[in-house]
Amino acid sequence: MLGEFDLIADFFAPLAANCAGALGLQDDAAILQPKAGRDLVVTKDLMVAGVHFSEDDPADLIARKLLRVNLSDLASMGADGIGYALGFAAPPEMDIDWVQLFCAGLAEDQKIFNVSLIGGDTVQTPGPLTLSLTAFGDVPAGQALKRSNAKPGDLVMVSGTIGDGVLGLDIKVGKWPELSVTHQNNLRARLQLPEPRLALGYSLRGIAHGAADISDGLVADLGHICTASHVGAVLDAVKIPLSEAAKAVAPMDANEFTSHLITGGDDYELVFTIAPEDRERVGEHSAVHGIPLTEVGQIVAGDGVKVLGADGRPIKLVQRGYRHF
Ligand code: ADP
Ligand code: MG
């Protein structure tokens, strides 16, 4: 096992080499220079082995997911990524090959998303491997998307497909054996390597009223928008976009399956609300970015999220969404 300072110098510093303000990870902190006319946007996510990932998941994919779930939060705010700080709490038996692969994963995504490591902290822990990442981004001043501006009459839109994350988790424990290997692999990939919708986020500035990324499940995250905006929402189950893999599942009970997909979480798609007159504009963005955007429901006066099944009657949800406590 390497010492703390070797880890920083040999593995983490190279990831900070292209960012002058990171000072080669040789000072006590990094220096960021916020651009004039832009607001800084900051977010943090923690991932604990055994809770958010398994010890035997590939280290590069763990790293990339850690970075991507944070970039997804920036995307939901309409922000551009700048850099990130890494919290690394490793058990004593941590091996070098694992760290090397972990850093290779970060290096790959740094290139894709144009962000840099700028600092962090490295400690030993008697507990499981615990990773935290704080991402910094920016938006034109005052233009960050928030959860709090949804209005009755708004359309509820989602990007991509819903439910693949939780199905990926199911596949890991041997559920849905009827699915082809290709479908199973696609679902696993969706769980391990989510796609932060950054370009879509920027394009929604000035259009979306309420916006959030889907980490806890569509119902829960739309619920967060409703709470913050003091409104309710009605979702149409039949409109919820599903991947080919999700469509290939043959569930015992269609409503129960829908409920599973919209409360399971780990989608990292965006859910947002728009005025009906902006529907066409949003469709153009969908075409430009090559990201399917689907209208799945409406914002109404009141509170809470109601889900209507194919027969127009409310579906009973098995749970509301993922929560730790
Ligand atoms: P201090 O003890 O003063 O907090 P450290 O010795 O922990 O400082 O860190 C020295 C430098 O290395 C700092 O710039 C810090 O941001 C950086 N650093 C430490 N751990 C990490 C990490 N896991 N990832 C990136 N940078 C790190
Ligand atoms: Mg110090």
Side-chain angles (χ1 to χ4, degrees), residues 39-81:
D39 290 336
L40 207 52
V41 180
V42 182
T43 183
K44 178 187 210 65
D45 269 303
L46 263 166
M47 289 186 7
V48 179
V51 179
H52 302 92
F53 61 92
S54 343
E55 302 270 5
D56 52 1
D57 284 342
D60 53 339
L61 294 183
I62 295 172
R64 297 174 75 184
K65 181 158 180 180
L66 176 67
L67 180 53
R68 286 170 179 233
V69 298
N70 279 283
L71 294 178
S72 175
D73 279 321
L74 295 184
S76 76
M77 305 295 287
D80 282 303

Short mmCIF file of all heavy atoms in Angstrom, two decimals, residues 39-81:
data_model
loop_
_atom_site.label_atom_id
_atom_site.label_comp_id
_atom_site.label_asym_id
_atom_site.label_seq_id
_atom_site.Cartn_x
_atom_site.Cartn_y
_atom_site.Cartn_z
N ASP A 39 -22.26 32.66 -12.24
CA ASP A 39 -22.44 32.15 -10.88
C ASP A 39 -21.72 30.81 -10.76
O ASP A 39 -21.74 30.01 -11.70
CB ASP A 39 -23.93 31.91 -10.57
CG ASP A 39 -24.72 33.22 -10.45
OD1 ASP A 39 -24.10 34.25 -10.15
OD2 ASP A 39 -25.95 33.17 -10.65
N LEU A 40 -21.12 30.58 -9.60
CA LEU A 40 -20.49 29.29 -9.33
C LEU A 40 -21.58 28.31 -8.86
O LEU A 40 -22.45 28.68 -8.09
CB LEU A 40 -19.45 29.50 -8.22
CG LEU A 40 -18.25 28.58 -8.15
CD1 LEU A 40 -17.53 28.48 -9.49
CD2 LEU A 40 -17.29 29.07 -7.06
N VAL A 41 -21.54 27.08 -9.33
CA VAL A 41 -22.50 26.04 -8.93
C VAL A 41 -21.71 24.87 -8.33
O VAL A 41 -20.75 24.41 -8.95
CB VAL A 41 -23.30 25.55 -10.16
CG1 VAL A 41 -24.31 24.47 -9.77
CG2 VAL A 41 -24.03 26.72 -10.82
N VAL A 42 -22.07 24.45 -7.13
CA VAL A 42 -21.28 23.44 -6.42
C VAL A 42 -22.17 22.29 -5.96
O VAL A 42 -23.28 22.52 -5.46
CB VAL A 42 -20.61 24.07 -5.17
CG1 VAL A 42 -19.75 23.04 -4.45
CG2 VAL A 42 -19.76 25.27 -5.56
N THR A 43 -21.70 21.07 -6.11
CA THR A 43 -22.47 19.92 -5.67
C THR A 43 -21.55 18.83 -5.16
O THR A 43 -20.38 18.79 -5.52
CB THR A 43 -23.35 19.37 -6.82
OG1 THR A 43 -24.14 18.28 -6.33
CG2 THR A 43 -22.50 18.84 -7.97
N LYS A 44 -22.06 17.96 -4.30
CA LYS A 44 -21.25 16.85 -3.77
C LYS A 44 -22.08 15.59 -3.67
O LYS A 44 -23.23 15.62 -3.26
CB LYS A 44 -20.75 17.22 -2.38
CG LYS A 44 -19.93 16.14 -1.69
CD LYS A 44 -19.65 16.56 -0.28
CE LYS A 44 -18.35 16.02 0.25
NZ LYS A 44 -17.18 16.53 -0.43
N ASP A 45 -21.47 14.47 -4.03
CA ASP A 45 -22.10 13.17 -3.80
C ASP A 45 -21.10 12.24 -3.13
O ASP A 45 -19.90 12.31 -3.41
CB ASP A 45 -22.57 12.54 -5.13
CG ASP A 45 -24.00 12.93 -5.45
OD1 ASP A 45 -24.87 12.65 -4.62
OD2 ASP A 45 -24.23 13.50 -6.52
N LEU A 46 -21.60 11.40 -2.28
CA LEU A 46 -20.80 10.41 -1.57
C LEU A 46 -21.17 9.03 -2.07
O LEU A 46 -22.35 8.75 -2.31
CB LEU A 46 -21.16 10.45 -0.09
CG LEU A 46 -20.31 11.24 0.88
CD1 LEU A 46 -21.06 11.40 2.19
CD2 LEU A 46 -18.98 10.56 1.13
N MET A 47 -20.18 8.15 -2.22
CA MET A 47 -20.48 6.77 -2.59
C MET A 47 -19.73 5.82 -1.64
O MET A 47 -18.53 5.96 -1.46
CB MET A 47 -20.06 6.48 -4.03
CG MET A 47 -20.95 7.17 -5.05
SD MET A 47 -20.70 6.81 -6.83
CE MET A 47 -19.52 5.52 -6.87
N VAL A 48 -20.48 4.89 -1.06
CA VAL A 48 -19.91 3.96 -0.08
C VAL A 48 -19.96 2.55 -0.65
O VAL A 48 -21.01 2.11 -1.14
CB VAL A 48 -20.72 4.04 1.24
CG1 VAL A 48 -20.16 3.07 2.27
CG2 VAL A 48 -20.74 5.45 1.78
N ALA A 49 -18.82 1.85 -0.59
CA ALA A 49 -18.77 0.46 -1.07
C ALA A 49 -19.79 -0.37 -0.31
O ALA A 49 -19.90 -0.27 0.91
CB ALA A 49 -17.38 -0.13 -0.90
N GLY A 50 -20.55 -1.17 -1.03
CA GLY A 50 -21.57 -2.00 -0.38
C GLY A 50 -22.93 -1.31 -0.33
O GLY A 50 -23.95 -1.95 -0.09
N VAL A 51 -22.94 0.02 -0.55
CA VAL A 51 -24.21 0.75 -0.58
C VAL A 51 -24.47 1.24 -2.00
O VAL A 51 -25.53 0.97 -2.58
CB VAL A 51 -24.20 1.96 0.39
CG1 VAL A 51 -25.52 2.71 0.32
CG2 VAL A 51 -23.90 1.50 1.81
N HIS A 52 -23.49 1.97 -2.58
CA HIS A 52 -23.68 2.56 -3.91
C HIS A 52 -22.98 1.79 -5.01
O HIS A 52 -23.23 2.01 -6.18
CB HIS A 52 -23.15 3.99 -3.92
CG HIS A 52 -23.81 4.86 -2.90
ND1 HIS A 52 -23.32 5.03 -1.65
CD2 HIS A 52 -24.94 5.60 -2.98
CE1 HIS A 52 -24.11 5.85 -0.97
NE2 HIS A 52 -25.11 6.20 -1.74
N PHE A 53 -22.03 0.96 -4.65
CA PHE A 53 -21.34 0.13 -5.64
C PHE A 53 -20.80 -1.10 -4.91
O PHE A 53 -20.74 -1.11 -3.68
CB PHE A 53 -20.21 0.90 -6.34
CG PHE A 53 -19.12 1.39 -5.40
CD1 PHE A 53 -17.99 0.61 -5.16
CD2 PHE A 53 -19.23 2.62 -4.77
CE1 PHE A 53 -17.00 1.06 -4.30
CE2 PHE A 53 -18.23 3.08 -3.92
CZ PHE A 53 -17.11 2.28 -3.67
N SER A 54 -20.43 -2.15 -5.67
CA SER A 54 -19.86 -3.33 -5.02
C SER A 54 -18.35 -3.25 -5.10
O SER A 54 -17.80 -2.71 -6.06
CB SER A 54 -20.32 -4.63 -5.68
OG SER A 54 -21.44 -4.44 -6.47
N GLU A 55 -17.71 -3.83 -4.09
CA GLU A 55 -16.25 -3.85 -4.02
C GLU A 55 -15.65 -4.39 -5.32
O GLU A 55 -14.58 -3.99 -5.72
CB GLU A 55 -15.79 -4.79 -2.88
CG GLU A 55 -16.31 -4.43 -1.51
CD GLU A 55 -15.40 -3.49 -0.76
OE1 GLU A 55 -14.40 -3.04 -1.35
OE2 GLU A 55 -15.69 -3.20 0.42
N ASP A 56 -16.36 -5.36 -5.95
CA ASP A 56 -15.77 -6.00 -7.12
C ASP A 56 -16.19 -5.37 -8.45
O ASP A 56 -15.87 -5.89 -9.51
CB ASP A 56 -16.04 -7.52 -7.10
CG ASP A 56 -17.52 -7.82 -6.92
OD1 ASP A 56 -18.33 -6.85 -6.84
OD2 ASP A 56 -17.89 -9.01 -6.86
N ASP A 57 -16.87 -4.23 -8.42
CA ASP A 57 -17.12 -3.49 -9.66
C ASP A 57 -15.77 -3.00 -10.18
O ASP A 57 -14.87 -2.72 -9.39
CB ASP A 57 -18.00 -2.26 -9.39
CG ASP A 57 -19.47 -2.62 -9.19
OD1 ASP A 57 -19.87 -3.74 -9.57
OD2 ASP A 57 -20.21 -1.77 -8.64
N PRO A 58 -15.63 -2.86 -11.52
CA PRO A 58 -14.36 -2.37 -12.05
C PRO A 58 -14.07 -0.95 -11.53
O PRO A 58 -14.95 -0.08 -11.54
CB PRO A 58 -14.59 -2.35 -13.56
CG PRO A 58 -15.76 -3.27 -13.79
CD PRO A 58 -16.59 -3.21 -12.56
N ALA A 59 -12.83 -0.73 -11.06
CA ALA A 59 -12.47 0.53 -10.42
C ALA A 59 -12.67 1.74 -11.34
O ALA A 59 -13.06 2.83 -10.89
CB ALA A 59 -11.03 0.47 -9.94
N ASP A 60 -12.38 1.56 -12.64
CA ASP A 60 -12.52 2.71 -13.56
C ASP A 60 -13.99 3.12 -13.68
O ASP A 60 -14.32 4.31 -13.76
CB ASP A 60 -11.90 2.43 -14.93
CG ASP A 60 -12.41 1.13 -15.56
OD1 ASP A 60 -12.92 0.25 -14.82
OD2 ASP A 60 -12.30 1.00 -16.79
N LEU A 61 -14.89 2.13 -13.65
CA LEU A 61 -16.31 2.46 -13.75
C LEU A 61 -16.84 3.10 -12.47
O LEU A 61 -17.70 3.98 -12.51
CB LEU A 61 -17.12 1.21 -14.10
CG LEU A 61 -16.84 0.63 -15.49
CD1 LEU A 61 -17.74 -0.56 -15.77
CD2 LEU A 61 -17.04 1.70 -16.57
N ILE A 62 -16.30 2.68 -11.32
CA ILE A 62 -16.69 3.32 -10.05
C ILE A 62 -16.31 4.79 -10.10
O ILE A 62 -17.10 5.67 -9.75
CB ILE A 62 -15.99 2.62 -8.86
CG1 ILE A 62 -16.50 1.18 -8.72
CG2 ILE A 62 -16.22 3.41 -7.57
CD1 ILE A 62 -15.74 0.35 -7.68
N ALA A 63 -15.08 5.06 -10.55
CA ALA A 63 -14.58 6.44 -10.62
C ALA A 63 -15.43 7.28 -11.56
O ALA A 63 -15.82 8.41 -11.24
CB ALA A 63 -13.13 6.44 -11.12
N ARG A 64 -15.73 6.71 -12.72
CA ARG A 64 -16.48 7.48 -13.73
C ARG A 64 -17.91 7.75 -13.25
O ARG A 64 -18.45 8.82 -13.49
CB ARG A 64 -16.46 6.73 -15.07
CG ARG A 64 -15.03 6.61 -15.60
CD ARG A 64 -14.97 5.76 -16.85
NE ARG A 64 -15.47 6.49 -18.01
CZ ARG A 64 -15.61 5.94 -19.20
NH1 ARG A 64 -15.31 4.67 -19.41
NH2 ARG A 64 -16.06 6.67 -20.21
N LYS A 65 -18.50 6.78 -12.57
CA LYS A 65 -19.85 7.01 -12.07
C LYS A 65 -19.83 8.09 -10.99
O LYS A 65 -20.69 8.97 -10.96
CB LYS A 65 -20.47 5.73 -11.51
CG LYS A 65 -21.90 5.97 -11.02
CD LYS A 65 -22.74 4.73 -10.97
CE LYS A 65 -24.14 5.07 -10.48
NZ LYS A 65 -25.00 3.90 -10.41
N LEU A 66 -18.83 8.04 -10.12
CA LEU A 66 -18.69 9.06 -9.07
C LEU A 66 -18.64 10.46 -9.69
O LEU A 66 -19.32 11.38 -9.23
CB LEU A 66 -17.42 8.79 -8.26
CG LEU A 66 -17.07 9.80 -7.17
CD1 LEU A 66 -18.09 9.76 -6.04
CD2 LEU A 66 -15.66 9.53 -6.61
N LEU A 67 -17.85 10.60 -10.74
CA LEU A 67 -17.76 11.90 -11.40
C LEU A 67 -19.07 12.24 -12.12
O LEU A 67 -19.60 13.35 -12.02
CB LEU A 67 -16.59 11.89 -12.40
CG LEU A 67 -16.33 13.17 -13.19
CD1 LEU A 67 -16.19 14.39 -12.27
CD2 LEU A 67 -15.07 13.04 -14.04
N ARG A 68 -19.63 11.26 -12.82
CA ARG A 68 -20.81 11.51 -13.64
C ARG A 68 -22.06 11.85 -12.84
O ARG A 68 -22.88 12.66 -13.28
CB ARG A 68 -21.08 10.29 -14.55
CG ARG A 68 -20.08 10.21 -15.69
CD ARG A 68 -20.17 8.90 -16.44
NE ARG A 68 -19.21 8.87 -17.53
CZ ARG A 68 -19.51 8.60 -18.79
NH1 ARG A 68 -20.74 8.26 -19.14
NH2 ARG A 68 -18.58 8.62 -19.73
N VAL A 69 -22.24 11.23 -11.67
CA VAL A 69 -23.45 11.56 -10.91
C VAL A 69 -23.39 13.02 -10.43
O VAL A 69 -24.41 13.69 -10.32
CB VAL A 69 -23.71 10.60 -9.72
CG1 VAL A 69 -23.92 9.18 -10.22
CG2 VAL A 69 -22.62 10.65 -8.67
N ASN A 70 -22.18 13.50 -10.19
CA ASN A 70 -22.03 14.90 -9.81
C ASN A 70 -22.24 15.82 -11.01
O ASN A 70 -22.88 16.86 -10.90
CB ASN A 70 -20.65 15.13 -9.19
CG ASN A 70 -20.61 14.73 -7.73
OD1 ASN A 70 -21.11 15.45 -6.88
ND2 ASN A 70 -20.05 13.56 -7.45
N LEU A 71 -21.72 15.41 -12.17
CA LEU A 71 -21.93 16.22 -13.38
C LEU A 71 -23.41 16.26 -13.73
O LEU A 71 -23.92 17.25 -14.26
CB LEU A 71 -21.10 15.67 -14.55
CG LEU A 71 -19.58 15.77 -14.36
CD1 LEU A 71 -18.86 15.13 -15.57
CD2 LEU A 71 -19.12 17.22 -14.19
N SER A 72 -24.12 15.19 -13.40
CA SER A 72 -25.57 15.15 -13.64
C SER A 72 -26.27 16.22 -12.80
O SER A 72 -27.23 16.86 -13.27
CB SER A 72 -26.09 13.75 -13.32
OG SER A 72 -27.50 13.72 -13.44
N ASP A 73 -25.79 16.43 -11.58
CA ASP A 73 -26.36 17.51 -10.75
C ASP A 73 -26.08 18.87 -11.38
O ASP A 73 -26.94 19.75 -11.38
CB ASP A 73 -25.76 17.47 -9.34
CG ASP A 73 -26.44 16.44 -8.45
OD1 ASP A 73 -27.68 16.30 -8.54
OD2 ASP A 73 -25.74 15.78 -7.67
N LEU A 74 -24.88 19.04 -11.93
CA LEU A 74 -24.58 20.32 -12.61
C LEU A 74 -25.49 20.47 -13.83
O LEU A 74 -26.01 21.56 -14.09
CB LEU A 74 -23.11 20.38 -13.05
CG LEU A 74 -22.04 20.41 -11.95
CD1 LEU A 74 -20.65 20.58 -12.59
CD2 LEU A 74 -22.29 21.54 -10.95
N ALA A 75 -25.69 19.37 -14.57
CA ALA A 75 -26.56 19.41 -15.75
C ALA A 75 -27.96 19.86 -15.38
O ALA A 75 -28.58 20.67 -16.06
CB ALA A 75 -26.61 18.04 -16.42
N SER A 76 -28.47 19.36 -14.25
CA SER A 76 -29.84 19.70 -13.85
C SER A 76 -29.96 21.17 -13.48
O SER A 76 -31.06 21.72 -13.46
CB SER A 76 -30.30 18.82 -12.69
OG SER A 76 -29.71 19.27 -11.48
N MET A 77 -28.83 21.81 -13.19
CA MET A 77 -28.83 23.24 -12.87
C MET A 77 -28.54 24.09 -14.12
O MET A 77 -28.46 25.30 -14.04
CB MET A 77 -27.77 23.56 -11.81
CG MET A 77 -27.87 22.77 -10.52
SD MET A 77 -29.36 23.10 -9.55
CE MET A 77 -29.00 24.72 -8.91
N GLY A 78 -28.29 23.43 -15.25
CA GLY A 78 -27.94 24.13 -16.48
C GLY A 78 -26.50 24.63 -16.48
O GLY A 78 -26.14 25.53 -17.23
N ALA A 79 -25.66 24.03 -15.63
CA ALA A 79 -24.28 24.52 -15.46
C ALA A 79 -23.28 23.76 -16.33
O ALA A 79 -23.51 22.64 -16.74
CB ALA A 79 -23.88 24.39 -14.00
N ASP A 80 -22.15 24.43 -16.60
CA ASP A 80 -20.99 23.83 -17.25
C ASP A 80 -20.05 23.33 -16.18
O ASP A 80 -19.84 24.02 -15.19
CB ASP A 80 -20.19 24.91 -18.01
CG ASP A 80 -20.82 25.28 -19.32
OD1 ASP A 80 -21.01 24.38 -20.14
OD2 ASP A 80 -21.09 26.48 -19.52
N GLY A 81 -19.41 22.18 -16.38
CA GLY A 81 -18.44 21.68 -15.41
C GLY A 81 -17.14 22.45 -15.49
O GLY A 81 -16.73 22.90 -16.58
#
